[in-house]
Amino acid sequence: MKYRPLARSTAALAAAAALAVAAACSSGGDEADADTHTWWDPYPQHAEDSAWAERVDACGEEAGVTIERTASDTTDLTNRALLAAQEGTSPDIMLLDNPAVSTLADTEMLTTMDELGLDVSGVDENLLAAGVVDDQAYGIPIGANTLAIYYNADILTAAGVDPASITDWATLTDALAKVTGNGDKGITFAAIGTEEGSFQFLPWFWGAGADLRDLDSPEAVAALQLWTDWLDAGYAPNSVLTNSQNTTWEEFLTGEFAFAVNGTWQVNSAAEAGFATGLVQIPGMDGGAAPAPTGGEFIIAPAQADTDRYDVTRQIVECMTTPEGFVETATTFAYYIPPTAEGQEALLAAEPDLEPWVAAVQEAKGRTSDNLGTDYPKISEALWTAVQNALSGAATPADALAQAQSDAEAALG
């Protein structure tokens, strides 16, 4: 923390070394088939006959191979990837949640995009950063999602609130006072004691100018004080302490709340709500759009002993990451924003209503950016614990974050 070098523990170094040796022997299985490329992704909800599966198969056909696809949930996929590296059975291609890319890269089990011969210069730097370790890119984002503030237009109109007037924390708080004063509920968000809680707090944390290596800075305290003040004033419900992003959205869909912090993935649901909705960017403390954290997966290539396989891998990755490919992914999932200017332009030509989300993604920031890499999960846990302690009244924001800083430093050793 505090920008001082942090040595990894002996156990972590030993594990990384063991995985590096295993990765050097990985070949997609002991008897890798040149006509088949293995593919793992975190989308078990998309079956073999889904549009997504057909898209993956089409990229394999274009490269002249059959793709053998395996889908697992995000947490299981990361664990399976680490185990496969040890056993020498890594797939040729994976899609992995962006904060986990640095974890796998740290074990030396991934190829770099340079090694694959892929040019990443056109990828938005703020989105690519989550997969960059020591100036090397270990993957390409297939798209990105992020957070903004949905609003109930009927409630705002009744309270005389113009959403265009919400430009900073003060104007947002003033809007909350007006809607609650008019008899409606204010804002709901997810402050649950998990990564989702950190994910939703980060725009306010970064929007104050705070840094994840300095959790108890005055800027960080200001962000947590904002949320605490909203609960104390009745502008946000106590349910935020246990709200996931899904339950937050369920609260918003009741039509009782003026605002909800949620993500790109709720675009279709918002359009089908029983009331008129709109969107504003999460504001920075003193104005402008706050950087919100990026969600979404990277396409990565585990190291293979048979490097001849990389040529086909490169072709498949290229198929997935052309401007047309990015748009196809975006429309298949209904919420991904392409990570390149060309892809974003193509998406907006087809879906102009997504312009606010393109703007939000352009301002977004990877959670493992700023060279946090594998330090991020430990820092995040300390942060979400501080949020819980402050909002529950167990500690003041300043004391909660001071403890978080101490805990993070101890965890990072």
Side-chain angles (χ1 to χ4, degrees):
M1 309 290 287
K2 304 287 189 184
Y3 294 101
R4 60 184 174 81
L6 294 165
R8 285 185 290 172
S9 68
T10 302
L13 289 168
L19 284 169
V21 171
C25 300
S26 179
S27 59
D30 293 333
E31 298 178 0
D33 185 345
D35 296 325
T36 301
H37 256 51
T38 48
W39 170 293
W40 292 0
D41 69 42
Y43 311 130
Q45 69 273 32
H46 295 284
E48 292 182 8
D49 60 350
S50 66
W52 171 249
E54 291 174 1
R55 169 151 165 61
V56 172
D57 289 343
C59 281
E61 291 172 7
E62 187 175 311
V65 297
T66 298
I67 288 186
E68 182 180 292
R69 174 177 172 253
T70 302
S72 309
D73 68 68
T74 297
T75 301
D76 182 54
L77 183 65
T78 303
N79 293 336
R80 291 181 66 238
L82 292 167
L83 180 61
Q86 291 177 312
E87 296 176 342
T89 57
S90 293
D92 293 289
I93 297 172
M94 288 181 60
L95 290 186
L96 193 68
D97 192 24
N98 73 79
V101 175
S102 59
T103 298
L104 268 61
D106 198 51
T107 68
E108 301 182 16
M109 65 169 283
L110 302 181
T111 60
T112 68
M113 296 301 96
D114 281 348
E115 289 169 335
L116 282 183
L118 289 164
D119 181 11
V120 297
S121 60
V123 180
D124 287 356
E125 186 176 350
N126 65 317
L127 303 180
L128 185 67
V132 173
V133 179
D134 295 332
D135 298 323
Q136 287 291 329
Y138 285 88
I140 299 174
I142 62 165
N145 52 46
T146 192
L147 297 170
I149 302 175
Y150 289 89
Y151 63 81
N152 182 322
D154 297 340
I155 290 178
L156 265 60
T157 298
V161 173
D162 179 1
S165 69
I166 299 171
T167 58
D168 55 20
W169 290 3
T171 51
L172 176 55
T173 301
D174 181 60
L176 291 172
K178 289 179 179 178
V179 296
T180 55
N182 198 46
D184 290 299
K185 296 180 181 179
I187 188 168
T188 181
F189 48 86
I192 191 171
T194 69
E195 177 58 26
E196 286 190 59
S198 290
F199 188 77
Q200 289 235 330
F201 183 61
L202 281 173
W204 313 95
F205 182 88
W206 285 331
D211 188 284
L212 284 169
R213 292 196 182 275
D214 193 5
L215 294 179
D216 57 352
S217 68
E219 294 81 5
V221 173
L224 190 48
Q225 189 68 58
L226 178 73
W227 272 18
T228 304
D229 288 346
W230 283 352
L231 261 70
D232 290 345
Y235 297 160
N238 288 331
S239 60
V240 300
L241 276 159
T242 55
N243 271 350
S244 68
Q245 294 186 106
N246 284 337
T247 54
T248 292
W249 190 247
E250 289 169 4
E251 286 185 334
F252 182 65
L253 290 180
T254 64
E256 298 175 356
F257 283 87
F259 301 99
V261 180
N262 225 288
T264 327
W265 52 90
Q266 302 293 8
V267 166
N268 289 345
S269 179
E272 297 167 359
F275 49 88
T277 64
L279 195 76
V280 295
Q281 304 298 322
I282 297 174
M285 179 167 63
D286 298 320
T294 56
E297 285 72 41
F298 271 57
I299 187 166
I300 60 177
Q304 306 292 328
D306 180 5
T307 57
D308 289 342
R309 299 179 68 82
Y310 291 157
D311 182 57
V312 171
T313 297
R314 176 184 52 76
Q315 293 178 55
I316 295 171
V317 174
E318 285 178 336
C319 174
M320 296 294 296
T321 57
T322 62
E324 298 78 15
F326 284 136
V327 172
E328 190 168 347
T329 296
T331 55
T332 297
F333 289 138
Y335 53 75
Y336 271 145
I337 303 301
T340 65
E342 193 173 358
Q344 291 162 9
E345 290 170 5
L347 177 65
L348 290 177
E351 301 284 348
D353 290 346
L354 291 177
E355 192 280 331
W357 285 112
V358 170
V361 163
Q362 288 171 344
E363 296 292 333
K365 181 175 180 175
R367 283 165 278 174
T368 58
S369 297
D370 300 328
N371 289 317
L372 289 177
T374 56
D375 290 350
Y376 172 76
K378 296 173 183 177
I379 296 171
S380 177
E381 182 172 359
L383 183 61
W384 82 57
T385 301
V387 171
Q388 286 271 301
N389 287 338
L391 298 189
S392 68
T396 66
D399 288 346
L401 287 167
Q403 185 61 53
Q405 176 71 13
S406 176
D407 291 345
E409 289 178 348
L412 293 170

